[in-house]
Amino acid sequence: RCPAASPQELEDHYSPSRWSPRLDRDTIIDAHLAVTAAGTERARASGQTLLHVPYGDGDGERLDIYFPTDPSESEWRGGGHGSGQGGHPAHPALCCAAFPALVYIHGGYWQCLSKDDSGFAAPPLVSQGVAVVAVGYDIAPKGHMDTMVLQVRRSLVFLVEHYPRIRGIYLCGHSAGAHLAAMVLSTDWTEFQVVPDIKGAVLVSGLYDLEPILHTYVNDALNMSREVAQRNSPMRHVTPAVPAACEVLVAVAQHDSPEFRRQSQEYSQALRAAGWSVSVLDLAGVDHFDVIERLSEDSYVLTQVGRRAVPRW
């Protein structure tokens, strides 16, 4: 289904750094890392957080939670910075407040970045009474694709069990993180005995069919077989929408590659055909990297769309 006619074209189409008009491919990834790391450092310094909260036994199974700082929420007063012990909040009042939570799943082609670079978008949210949860997972080569999908699902189960008064979960994933968020939407929650109240999903510059990357450099670390790629391709697991199905926003950057843009369009069409409520946002003037970096800006169109989608954002 990929229009690329040769292996080299396939490599080009799945190399996001080759499509940005603002920076060359050798510097744009370093610049992205610097922006997200600096933004996360600022968010941690200015807000009320619980860092490195374990949601499982694996090394990568940790969450960073950025709690709301809305002064109208009296429950938050007196709290402070800290890390949870054994998966529990350091401040008991944090279990008592009701708040919506945006769960952010980082990208990095399933083999780089981490939750420690994922708090940059928190300030515009926490100031409006929304908690932000940055999810960590075991990236490749340690992490297998099946494992990463399971870990993200289990992180939501943890939130439901430990924060029962969360007023709705909103997923946000970028690139590989958008893929993982889309896999969450296809979950059969009966095996977990918990059904997260997922109200919405914002999927930014994602991949929804993994087969085209099997014979690219991306799979060198992932080592996926065709069976694994098919099992973990959201395009192949779109379920009919149920009455409680969340709304989905599929966002793509103007300067994403043609393949990223195609996949976003086809996945949104597949969801819509299955009865899901889907919106597509084609973001002008941004590439695969600053399309998500700019979520730290109040005036950014994607931030503004999110405010309308998430109560009190």
Side-chain angles (χ1 to χ4, degrees):
R1 289 159 48 191
C2 172
S6 70
Q8 184 56 56
E9 286 180 317
L10 197 64
E11 293 270 349
D12 289 343
H13 278 261
Y14 285 97
S15 300
S17 60
R18 300 185 183 188
W19 297 87
S20 173
R22 63 187 177 95
L23 291 171
D24 64 69
R25 57 177 298 196
D26 294 324
T27 60
I28 193 167
I29 294 177
D30 288 340
H32 179 63
L33 290 170
V35 169
T36 56
T40 299
E41 185 177 353
R42 288 193 297 271
R44 288 181 173 184
S46 62
Q48 181 171 244
T49 63
L50 289 175
L51 304 179
H52 319 306
V53 179
Y55 66 85
D57 297 329
D59 292 340
E61 297 179 355
R62 299 289 186 270
L63 303 172
D64 287 346
I65 307 176
Y66 299 78
F67 286 101
T69 55
D70 187 342
S72 67
E73 294 285 342
S74 60
E75 298 98 323
W76 305 114
R77 295 174 185 169
H81 302 275
S83 296
Q85 299 297 322
H88 296 281
H91 195 287
L94 299 179
C95 283
C96 302
F99 49 84
L102 184 130
V103 175
Y104 180 77
I105 307 168
H106 70 82
Y109 256 157
W110 307 278
Q111 54 199 280
C112 63
L113 299 180
S114 74
K115 70 173 182 59
D116 297 324
D117 310 299
S118 300
F120 59 93
L125 293 152
V126 298
S127 66
Q128 299 297 319
V130 179
V132 174
V133 180
V135 177
Y137 52 91
D138 286 315
I139 58 176
K142 179 179 180 180
H144 188 272
M145 185 61 70
D146 289 326
T147 302
M148 289 183 264
V149 170
L150 178 60
Q151 287 176 326
V152 172
R153 289 168 171 165
R154 287 178 52 242
S155 73
L156 297 186
V157 172
F158 172 86
L159 289 174
V160 172
E161 291 177 340
H162 289 268
Y163 297 90
R165 294 192 62 196
I166 286 177
R167 293 190 294 104
I169 291 173
Y170 298 81
L171 302 174
C172 180
H174 172 239
S175 195
H179 158 267
L180 293 171
M183 286 300 293
V184 168
L185 298 183
S186 69
T187 305
D188 179 0
W189 293 106
T190 56
E191 65 178 281
F192 297 94
Q193 300 180 342
V194 166
V195 181
D197 183 18
I198 300 175
K199 298 289 191 183
V202 179
L203 310 177
V204 184
S205 295
L207 288 176
Y208 310 103
D209 179 5
L210 302 187
E211 282 197 71
I213 66 173
L214 285 177
H215 302 292
T216 71
Y217 73 96
V218 181
N219 200 38
D220 292 347
L222 297 171
N223 196 29
M224 287 189 298
S225 65
R226 188 164 182 262
E227 180 184 11
V228 170
Q230 291 177 346
R231 185 165 61 240
N232 292 287
S233 288
M235 274 289 295
R236 291 179 170 269
H237 302 284
V238 174
T239 58
V242 298
C246 71
E247 296 187 9
V248 181
L249 173 65
V250 178
V252 65
Q254 176 184 355
H255 301 297
D256 266 319
S257 78
E259 272 296 274
F260 274 82
R261 292 177 60 81
R262 177 188 69 83
Q263 288 218 19
S264 293
Q265 186 65 36
E266 291 190 3
Y267 181 60
S268 63
Q269 291 171 347
L271 286 174
R272 193 174 290 117
W276 291 72
S277 175
V278 183
S279 301
V280 177
L281 185 61
D282 196 333
L283 293 157
V286 289
D287 58 41
H288 188 80
F289 303 95
D290 59 350
V291 68
I292 197 71
E293 294 169 5
R294 293 185 60 189
L295 270 182
S296 62
E297 302 173 10
D298 286 318
S299 60
Y300 181 43
V301 61
L302 190 56
T303 309
Q304 294 173 344
V305 169
R307 282 203 180 102
R308 294 194 293 269
V310 182
R312 303 182 63 195
W313 179 359

